Amino acid sequence: MAGVKVAEVNDNTVRWTVDSKTARFEDGETKIFFDNPKMKFFEKGNPSSDLDAETGFLNMAKKEAQLEKNVKVVSKTERMALFTSRLFFSSEKNKIWTDDPVIIFKGNTITRGQGFKANPDLSEIEVTRQETTTREKK
């Protein structure tokens, strides 16, 4: 399929969308596989964060996603960016997480860790095994 858009809407409010130039169903599967998916999360109808990856899939039955390769999450509400190689999302739990290495940029602060769990807008973020440094302003 080409030009695919998937969304979850509750009570006439969009919770998240996934856009992909191409996608495919596996025979007999409830999974949609995406190439270069772009996911948007919303809070009270307003965009809260954007997620990009090279590949991924959405399990329609479980409302869970796995995104891989150069995963980037940019929070509009928290003004931070997170980078990792693989990320999981649960619509039911409204959480994103990974056990892989992460790098988070917020202002002059760089946080590195091995795994994290957060709300999709990167609020209430918990980084495991973290190391934080501050960049000097130029």
Side-chain angles (χ1 to χ4, degrees), residues 74-93:
V74 176
S75 171
K76 296 171 186 291
T77 54
E78 300 298 318
R79 295 184 179 158
M80 67 172 62
L82 179 141
F83 299 86
T84 188
S85 59
R86 182 175 52 170
L87 187 84
F88 300 93
F89 166 65
S90 168
S91 185
E92 181 181 320
K93 296 175 185 173

Side-chain angles (χ1 to χ4, degrees), residues 17-59:
T17 62
V18 179
D19 289 298
S20 183
K21 290 182 181 174
T22 59
R24 66 192 178 288
F25 278 102
E26 294 290 328
D27 290 335
E29 292 283 333
T30 58
K31 293 179 182 175
I32 303 174
F33 291 84
F34 298 102
D35 296 313
N36 298 307
K38 298 195 181 309
M39 196 164 191
K40 292 188 180 295
F41 295 98
F42 298 85
E43 287 292 326
K44 298 177 183 171
N46 297 314
S48 61
S49 60
D50 296 324
L51 187 154
D52 296 334
E54 289 183 26
T55 64
F57 69 84
L58 176 65
N59 184 322

Side-chain angles (χ1 to χ4, degrees), residues 75-137:
S75 171
K76 296 171 186 291
T77 54
E78 300 298 318
R79 295 184 179 158
M80 67 172 62
L82 179 141
F83 299 86
T84 188
S85 59
R86 182 175 52 170
L87 187 84
F88 300 93
F89 166 65
S90 168
S91 185
E92 181 181 320
K93 296 175 185 173
N94 196 38
K95 295 289 180 190
I96 57 175
W97 70 92
T98 188
D99 292 327
D100 291 357
V102 296
I103 300 174
I104 301 167
F105 295 93
K106 182 172 183 173
N108 292 330
T109 306
I110 302 170
T111 304
R112 297 176 192 274
Q114 182 70 36
F116 88 103
K117 181 176 166 182
N119 292 345
D121 64 359
L122 299 181
S123 65
E124 299 180 27
I125 190 167
E126 177 184 318
V127 179
T128 40
R129 295 182 292 231
Q130 78 176 30
E131 172 188 312
T132 303
T133 56
T134 305
R135 296 183 288 190
E136 287 186 36
K137 287 185 178 181

